Amino acid sequence: MSDADNPYDASHIRVLEGLEAVRRRPGMYVGSTSQRGLHQMVFDVVGRAVNEVLAGRASAVDVTLTADGGVRVADDGPGVPVEAAGDTAGPGLEALLTQMHAGAEPGGRRAVAMSLFGVGPCVTNALSSRLTAEVRRNGVHWAQEYARGVALTPPVSVGPTTRGGTTIAFWPDTDIFETAECSFAVLAERFRELAFLNRGLDISLTDERPPGGSRSVRCRFPGGARDFVDLLDAQGETSVHPDIIDFEREDPRIAGTVEVALRWRGSQEERLQSYANSEPTPYGGTHVAGFRDGVAAAVNTHMRERRLLAEAVPDLSVDQISDGLTAVVSVKLDRPEFSGCTRGMLGGAAVRTSVANAVREHLGAWLERHPEQAAAIVGRIIQRTHQD
């Protein structure tokens, strides 16, 4: 077939501008048009509010699943700047809700990245049939409403206020999504993770949809990863030792921090949860490899120093040692390197070395300081090894 029979030139190329591209290809921005995509819309808005708390500008985030199918996200920070007030302290309300990357999460270890590609709340606005925004800032209460990403009015002052904060409510567009109903359980689990991994975070989720009355959960865990391991073990097998082993270390060589908590149980299953900058890493990566290296080194060294392994016997494998282990491994890096754009696996050789050294040193020292619990751990490992 010749070019004349099938002409194709610049006139056939359509350039999608602004939020039109989001509405035409929603899966590219929220992952899918199923319930998973709905949850990503929530995360795109919640991420900004969470970072207000982590930056010390707000104290709490409240998320509500409203009875009419909407989602409301509120924080008690200073409120985002409002262009109509001549506020130039940062990206304004309209920029946040209409411009790509204007509301993207800040980088660095102290920020939580909840958007798939760091685009920001404008994606949620584009994919909502309706969105309302309220800002309480500098003594003025502002309000604005959008429909499918388009502002119906400019921000309007609706009166004075003595409070601060930003509230964004949205209703997912049923013309785009297969379902408009978020899962309370899925959102609660993710918010719980964030609170475990960020000690200063206070986030609550309320569901006003059940006919019998609302339900809610508040997520705040001052113990961090230690509390996380305690939860993971709550309905599991009896623990081999009572105390959870945990530590947090800052390492300038990786420009970040390492937080680890672990405890052995009577199970044969290893239960390990790993995170990088508060994002789950389901495919592991260098932080997980470093953790396993460090655990194996600490336990083998402890056993050899006590002559629990004959000289001719090789070191126990990490699989033998981690049998029945519950652990949470969390690293927060200024410049994380991921293998792939979805952030499911962490890279960076220096991270593996850093985590391995930290685990080896802290676990080794803990075993020295707690001889009775160390004996129970080692006895369990030897017993399982003989059974194998």
Side-chain angles (χ1 to χ4, degrees):
M1 183 178 294
S2 67
D3 291 343
D5 295 328
N6 188 26
Y8 182 82
D9 55 30
S11 65
H12 291 80
I13 300 175
R14 181 181 178 186
V15 178
L16 300 178
E17 297 183 355
L19 299 186
E20 182 187 5
V22 180
R23 291 187 60 81
R24 288 293 297 269
R25 299 289 186 269
M28 293 179 60
Y29 298 89
V30 294
S32 77
T33 55
S34 65
Q35 190 179 62
R36 182 165 62 92
L38 283 183
H39 296 155
Q40 186 57 51
M41 289 176 66
V42 178
F43 299 150
D44 283 342
V45 177
V46 169
R48 187 209 62 82
V50 165
N51 284 320
E52 288 289 286
V53 176
L54 298 183
R57 294 187 292 267
S59 63
V61 178
D62 296 303
V63 182
T64 304
L65 306 178
T66 63
D68 61 354
V71 180
R72 183 171 64 247
V73 180
D75 68 75
D76 58 355
V80 300
V82 179
E83 294 94 338
D87 197 335
T88 58
L93 179 64
E94 291 185 272
L96 178 77
L97 295 173
T98 60
Q99 296 179 18
M100 296 283 190
H101 307 289
E105 295 92 347
R109 76 185 81 169
R110 293 176 180 84
V112 170
M114 298 187 71
S115 294
L116 282 181
F117 305 108
V119 176
C122 68
V123 168
T124 300
N125 191 16
L127 299 179
S128 297
S129 59
R130 177 178 173 234
L131 181 146
T132 63
E134 296 182 64
V135 175
R136 295 171 176 86
R137 182 179 174 88
N138 297 331
V140 181
H141 182 182
W142 297 88
Q144 188 177 27
E145 185 169 353
Y146 289 79
R148 293 178 170 83
V150 178
L152 300 182
T153 64
V156 176
S157 172
V158 294
T161 181
T162 58
R163 298 161 49 200
T166 303
T167 301
I168 295 176
F170 64 91
W171 290 259
D173 193 338
T174 55
D175 291 339
I176 292 177
F177 291 97
E178 300 165 14
T179 176
E181 185 170 342
C182 292
S183 166
F184 178 85
V186 170
L187 294 178
E189 180 180 2
R190 180 61 180 132
F191 297 158
R192 191 179 294 117
E193 280 183 339
L194 288 174
F196 279 127
L197 300 169
N198 299 277
R199 287 188 178 88
L201 181 59
D202 186 343
I203 182 169
S204 63
L205 175 64
T206 300
D207 189 355
E208 297 178 342
R209 301 170 302 177
S214 64
R215 53 180 172 172
S216 62
V217 60
R218 181 187 180 190
C219 305
R220 183 174 180 272
F221 303 103
R226 181 186 187 88
D227 288 346
F228 203 168
V229 167
D230 206 26
L231 175 71
L232 293 173
D233 277 353
Q235 298 178 345
E237 303 78 7
T238 303
S239 299
V240 174
H241 54 105
D243 293 345
I244 295 174
I245 307 163
D246 69 307
F247 71 87
E248 185 172 4
R249 170 190 279 189
E250 182 162 351
D251 189 342
R253 294 170 296 181
I254 61 170
T257 59
V258 178
E259 183 177 10
V260 169
L262 65 151
R263 181 164 61 186
W264 275 267
R265 311 175 325 279
S267 166
Q268 299 181 33
E269 173 194 7
E270 178 187 30
R271 188 183 298 154
L272 193 156
Q273 302 270 56
S274 67
Y275 302 85
N277 289 28
S278 300
E279 284 290 300
T281 47
Y283 306 113
T286 51
H287 55 330
V288 173
F291 168 77
R292 290 166 64 83
D293 291 345
V295 169
V299 171
N300 276 305
T301 298
H302 182 82
M303 294 178 69
R304 291 209 178 274
E305 288 176 348
R306 281 150 187 75
R307 302 184 186 282
L308 299 173
L309 284 177
E311 292 185 9
V313 175
D315 282 351
L316 297 180
S317 70
V318 67
D319 289 333
Q320 292 172 310
I321 292 171
S322 62
D323 192 35
L325 185 63
T326 297
V328 172
V329 181
S330 172
V331 295
K332 295 179 181 177
L333 310 170
D334 288 343
R335 296 175 297 277
E337 299 176 17
F338 292 97
S339 299
C341 63
T342 58
R343 303 194 291 263
M345 176 181 288
L346 184 67
V351 173
R352 179 170 186 168
T353 302
S354 173
V355 175
N357 289 340
V359 172
R360 175 177 52 80
E361 293 172 13
H362 283 270
L363 177 56
W366 188 92
L367 294 171
E368 289 285 340
R369 294 195 307 268
H370 302 82
E372 292 185 2
Q373 296 189 64
I377 293 170
V378 170
R380 167 73 171 76
I381 292 172
I382 292 175
Q383 179 187 28
R384 290 294 308 155
T385 303
H386 288 164
Q387 289 177 357
D388 293 342

